[in-house]
Amino acid sequence: MHALLTGPLTTERIAIAIKDLPLGLHDTTLVQLTDFHFDGRSLSKELLVAAIAQCNAIRPDLIVLTGDYITRNTRDIYLLTAYLRQLKSRQGIYAVLGNHDSANVSMRLTIQEALDKAGITPLWNEITYPFGNELPLVGLADLRSRDYCADRLLTRLPPQTPRIVLAHNPDTFAELQSQRADLVLSGHTHGGQVALPGIGTAPGLIMKLSPWLPQPIKSRIPFLNKDCDRVFKHWEWAAGLHRLGTNQLYVNRGLGTYLPGRLFCPPELTVITLVKS
């Protein structure tokens, strides 16, 4: 993807308060990267190298990757992991898969194996403890996967225990309201790619206007079809920090870019500092 259609890498820094966070984990630093779509078109090697260098310069306690490493061709994962194996953090690198990574079981297993060989721990409906029992990390299957089972997974944790949840699709956040989910980290949306100041994302605006659009126009917009709500519903959560009750969601704009490109929505590396509330 040409630099003019993508924009320069931006680093977003945000402090997020976590209830019951152990004092020893105050100021813990996480870096989130997502939506690489490393297919030879959607993400340049230069941008990927810059993101990895920036991540390592931060010296994070933990790195989390939230899906869509490829677009369609499973073989692209090996080209990507040749770069991702350069990532470094104190407590490891953990990853969940996106909808593009888990279209079928064979694809999912291939990508999980490639990530594992690159020193990255893939999570598919799993709980792990990079910081010990006081702050579990939960990695969910993609929301549209048959394996998705967030409620059953989260109820295994004591209700008084804070937790971080990795979930590719931000729509998962709506499904977690009956559970404690102190911080959900997602991608999937690319931030809408076109963000109109004071108005919102172009996809969100088009979705709102779709009932009044003539059919010849609608037929030329790929995501305006009967299955569009299975791709993404909550465009109000397309990027940044959001809250529902005591649960918090952060959506990273991603690195990869589809045509027609990005406008006021540059690719993102997120630095999250956990603080005790």
Side-chain angles (χ1 to χ4, degrees):
M1 181 65 66
H2 194 281
L4 291 177
L5 298 178
T6 299
L9 176 69
T10 59
T11 299
E12 303 290 350
R13 298 178 182 270
I14 184 170
I16 295 183
I18 304 291
K19 182 181 178 183
D20 305 316
L21 183 73
L23 186 59
L25 294 178
H26 179 76
D27 278 343
T28 293
T29 301
L30 283 65
V31 166
Q32 180 194 9
L33 294 169
T34 193
D35 290 84
F36 300 82
H37 291 282
F38 199 63
D39 56 13
R41 300 176 301 278
S42 302
L43 174 62
S44 70
K45 293 178 181 178
E46 292 77 13
L47 180 57
L48 177 60
V49 168
I52 292 171
Q54 174 68 359
C55 181
N56 289 342
I58 292 164
R59 300 175 61 86
D61 296 302
L62 190 74
I63 297 172
V64 295
L65 312 177
T66 47
D68 278 0
Y69 307 98
I70 64 169
T71 303
R72 292 183 182 88
N73 193 332
T74 308
R75 288 175 294 180
D76 290 334
I77 189 63
Y78 301 107
L79 301 176
L80 176 62
T81 53
Y83 291 92
L84 295 184
R85 66 175 64 252
Q86 301 169 32
L87 289 169
K88 299 176 183 179
S89 81
R90 295 183 178 89
Q91 302 299 329
I93 307 166
Y94 293 86
V96 291
L97 272 59
N99 53 304
H100 283 267
D101 311 313
S102 53
N104 57 64
V105 174
S106 176
M107 175 181 286
R108 172 171 67 84
L109 294 177
T110 298
I111 290 174
Q112 287 176 310
E113 180 182 23
L115 290 171
D116 186 62
K117 287 182 177 180
I120 299 165
T121 303
L123 302 174
W124 185 261
N125 290 329
E126 295 175 72
I127 303 173
T128 190
Y129 299 88
F131 300 114
N133 293 336
E134 296 176 310
L135 185 64
L137 180 67
V138 181
L140 298 179
D142 185 64
L143 178 62
R144 303 308 175 192
S145 165
R146 293 179 180 179
D147 294 340
Y148 175 80
C149 60
D151 285 348
R152 187 164 72 247
L153 195 62
L154 288 170
T155 52
R156 289 166 46 186
L157 296 173
Q160 70 275 16
T161 301
R163 70 287 308 262
I164 297 171
V165 179
L166 306 182
H168 174 69
N169 190 327
D171 280 343
T172 309
F173 192 51
E175 305 290 324
L176 297 179
Q177 292 318 292
S178 63
Q179 298 288 342
R180 177 171 184 170
D182 299 81
L183 176 59
V184 180
L185 298 177
S186 298
H188 185 60
T189 67
H190 300 198
Q193 288 202 175
V194 176
L196 306 174
I199 297 176
T201 66
L205 180 61
I206 293 171
M207 291 285 285
K208 290 179 181 178
L209 296 176
S210 64
W212 296 278
L213 292 176
Q215 187 57 41
I217 294 178
K218 291 175 68 171
S219 65
R220 294 178 178 271
I221 302 175
F223 63 85
L224 287 186
N225 57 60
K226 64 181 180 179
D227 294 324
C228 63
D229 64 340
R230 290 184 57 79
V231 177
F232 191 55
K233 293 180 181 179
H234 293 279
W235 282 103
E236 69 274 20
W237 299 339
L241 183 65
H242 309 276
R243 294 182 176 87
L244 285 177
T246 58
N247 289 349
Q248 301 175 92
L249 166 71
Y250 189 86
V251 183
N252 180 308
R253 296 187 300 269
L255 294 177
T257 299
Y258 290 154
L259 290 173
R262 292 177 180 266
L263 180 65
F264 303 120
C265 187
E268 174 180 352
L269 177 150
T270 313
V271 184
I272 297 168
T273 302
L274 304 181
V275 297
K276 186 175 177 62
S277 65

